[in-house]
Amino acid sequence: LAMTGDRAASELSPQKLRPIQRSLSEESIATVAALPGMILRSHSIHVGAAGRHSEVTCSIRPSSTKAALKAVQQEQRTWRRKHEQQNSRTDDIPTTLKSSFAMKESYWIDIETPPRSTEELSDFLYQLRLPPFFVSILSEPATWTSEVVALQFISLAIFQILPADPESDEIAHVALLSMPRLLVTFSTFPKNEEADGLYNLVHQYMKQRERVPEPTSSGLLLAWLQFHVRRTATALRKLRARAVEMDNELDQDFQNFDFEDLVEAKDCLLNVLSVAEEQHGTIDALSAAEKGSEGFNFSNCCAALSVLEAHASSNERLSSRVDKHLNELRERIMAHREDNINQKMALLTILSAVFMPLTLLTGIWGMNFESMPELEMKGAYQKALLGMLILALCMVYSFQRAGFTAHP
């Protein structure tokens, strides 16, 4: 779901927006107090020296939430002045409010919290000077779905990711709040799990050279998205390698092949496939929502956005191919099982056909008639057994010539 600034703003009542605007422009910003058990990390992104090819590099350093909110406050004041100046013009020359923050210091706030009540999260989120519309969404993490909501100055994207625990079947979402010079990532984690595992991986990824395409909130957003898209790609490549391995095991020893491995791989693929599809759709919505919001500004990192879209699309195609491969393996296993059943049924059919005439003869000679000449013949019993044996061998030979006893 992508909502442009005008459309989303029209859905918010002025009574709700007015107190938030006043708090951003008039009230002093205090230090944000984290809730018990909540992990609140603040970073600043600095522009580093140019590299060998004159590219701009970025460095991530510890910072404070108060400094980040002040930077956003300054940018909003600047944006409002430009907006008022544009509205006061009498000429018809079109202008744009999009501005460049490439040379200014940007910030990243990462928030992770265990499950909490809606009231606790709402009270905490209001410290970040967020619109009530966003607070109502973020305060209920259990209801999150992949979506993009873009207002004029701030944008929200809820992005589905793979859980930190590879064995977990839970659906994990992260809320991304993007505004000029600030990116906020907000997520929850179960009480029995550690919160630092996934954050440390993201942080180490962003600190690597040239991972952040631009030292802005939008550049940070693209780097953060690229990390999780690559995690999805890694999981898909592992599933593809596992599918190839199971294919070889099936060719070498079908009898000892564990069908539960295929079922487990299929279940895992369904989870990853869902994540890949949701990620691709959310990234497309982000690209479409850029035009209506100051929260997204990909004008200086279009190449990185294009690469991200290509990777997300590639993940979706790769997941479809792996799904097709696993379905083919399942069909092969079912075909092998049907062949085994058919072979057993063929054996039972042959045995039934062989013993049918023998049963007929036994039934005839077992009738209680007084006059049965063949019973008084010399050696009748031995001749009857020999005749039955010859008849059975002839029938088996005929079935073999007809191919009924041949194994594939």
Side-chain angles (χ1 to χ4, degrees), residues 233-250:
T234 301
L236 287 171
R237 286 194 292 268
K238 290 181 179 179
L239 284 173
R240 181 177 60 181
R242 179 54 184 153
V244 173
E245 182 180 350
M246 287 189 293
D247 199 346
N248 295 331
E249 292 176 0
L250 188 62

Side-chain angles (χ1 to χ4, degrees), residues 3-121:
M3 299 175 64
T4 60
D6 294 337
R7 178 184 171 189
S10 64
E11 298 184 4
L12 304 176
S13 62
Q15 290 80 4
K16 293 183 177 180
L17 283 176
R18 194 175 297 114
I20 299 304
Q21 293 174 352
R22 184 171 64 253
S23 66
L24 279 170
S25 58
E26 298 175 5
E27 297 180 3
S28 61
I29 297 178
T31 302
V32 176
L35 298 174
M38 177 181 289
I39 301 177
L40 181 63
R41 312 178 185 91
S42 299
H43 315 78
S44 61
I45 291 81
H46 299 264
V47 181
R52 293 181 300 174
H53 304 287
S54 301
E55 73 278 3
V56 178
T57 59
C58 309
S59 60
I60 300 179
R61 304 173 186 174
S63 183
S64 65
T65 307
K66 185 174 182 179
L69 295 180
K70 280 187 176 180
V72 175
Q73 184 184 57
Q74 294 173 1
E75 291 302 331
Q76 187 170 21
R77 288 173 177 173
T78 303
W79 178 83
R80 284 178 178 171
R81 285 195 296 267
K82 290 183 179 180
H83 185 68
E84 292 173 357
Q85 293 174 3
Q86 185 192 37
N87 292 337
S88 63
R89 293 180 180 178
T90 56
D91 56 86
D92 296 329
I93 300 176
T95 58
T96 179
L97 293 177
K98 287 281 184 181
S99 55
S100 175
F101 308 98
M103 294 295 105
K104 297 181 181 179
E105 190 175 44
S106 297
Y107 297 87
W108 169 33
I109 299 176
D110 181 76
I111 305 171
E112 292 183 286
T113 179
R116 294 187 177 277
S117 65
T118 302
E119 292 75 14
E120 287 181 307
L121 289 179

Side-chain angles (χ1 to χ4, degrees), residues 205 210-216 218-227 229-230 283 287 297-312:
Y205 175 84
E210 301 177 13
R211 293 301 190 188
V212 181
E214 185 186 31
T216 63
S218 297
L220 283 171
L221 175 63
L222 291 180
W224 190 95
L225 294 174
Q226 187 68 262
F227 168 79
V229 169
R230 290 192 176 191
I283 291 172
S287 179
N297 186 1
F298 304 127
S299 57
N300 295 328
C301 44
C302 295
L305 178 60
S306 299
V307 171
L308 179 63
E309 291 177 335
H311 286 174

